[in-house]
Amino acid sequence: MQKNHNIPTPGPIPRHVVIIMDGNGRWARRKNLDRLIGHREGIKSARSVVRTAREIGIEYLTLYAFSAQNWKRPGEEVLALMDLLREYLSNEGEKLLAQNTRLNAIGNLSNLPQDIRELLGRVMKMTEECNSLTITLALSYGGREEIINAVNSIIAEGEKKPVSEKDFQEYLYTSGLPEPDLLIRTGGEMRLSNFLLWQLAYAEIYVTKTLWPNFRRRHLLKAIANYRNRERRFGLTGEQIREKGR
Ligand code: FPP
């Protein structure tokens, strides 16, 4: 059969996908429900996405679950989000273990309530040998804070030599994780919201109007298919990329 050269073969599955899960509040408002119900429904989306990610061979999935700025939300909502996190961590350990999925966390974790830190530590320990998928929850996470924290750690160590990008990366919360290939943002806003500012330098961006509580398996598959049809250039020309691929 003759090869059709007009149809490019899809590229690889992204190794590391990161998600800004936005739109829980709007989902609830449209249904005349409390915002909290939106967050609760959002947990179901997170479960569906984790399961699908593992199934299709994504190795790393990072979820922006609570930003450093989220502490400024009304006290009631912050307490409710912490309760949901407590519930998620209490129920999820066994499920993650059964799916050979490792749990990891990034952010200023010392700001979290003590019992949540303990729960997190317990599930992380329980799943530390799992090697099919690593999910990272960004909790009390801020990108600028992360960079400043890295700079201050370098200063505190008294480093006198110039620091390379590679050295610097080791001081970030994400040290040990590969660079994200794809950022998905739900809820339609075109912003980074202080998420992984250093790490997203070369990531592909996919924004969907779908609100997070509605984002399930088929939406993730659609985002991945979209990514696989893109040409990643890393600053090179299209011609150079094609040469490399030859
Ligand atoms: C944004 O919705 C979402 C958050 C503040 C994060 C909370 C995310 C979850 C509860 C889902 C998964 C959590 C875990 C622990 C896996 P929003 O309130 O900003 O929505 P809006 O922009 O429509 O108001």
Side-chain angles (χ1 to χ4, degrees), residues 21-26 35 39 42-43 46 63-65 70 73 77 81 84-85 88 137 212:
M21 308 178 286
D22 197 16
N24 296 348
R26 275 165 285 165
R35 291 177 63 77
H39 294 316
I43 299 267
L63 302 174
Y64 203 6
N70 283 157
R73 290 198 173 193
E77 185 172 348
L81 281 167
L84 270 184
L85 187 57
Y88 177 80
L137 297 183
W212 178 249

Side-chain angles (χ1 to χ4, degrees), residues 209-226:
K209 286 209 171 109
T210 304
L211 303 174
W212 178 249
N214 291 328
F215 191 93
R216 300 286 161 96
R217 178 190 163 80
R218 75 185 168 89
H219 302 91
L220 179 65
L221 295 178
K222 192 173 161 196
I224 301 301
N226 177 291

Side-chain angles (χ1 to χ4, degrees), residues 197-216:
L197 296 181
W198 169 280
Q199 297 85 341
L200 289 171
Y202 290 103
E204 293 294 320
I205 302 178
Y206 178 89
V207 176
T208 170
K209 286 209 171 109
T210 304
L211 303 174
W212 178 249
N214 291 328
F215 191 93
R216 300 286 161 96

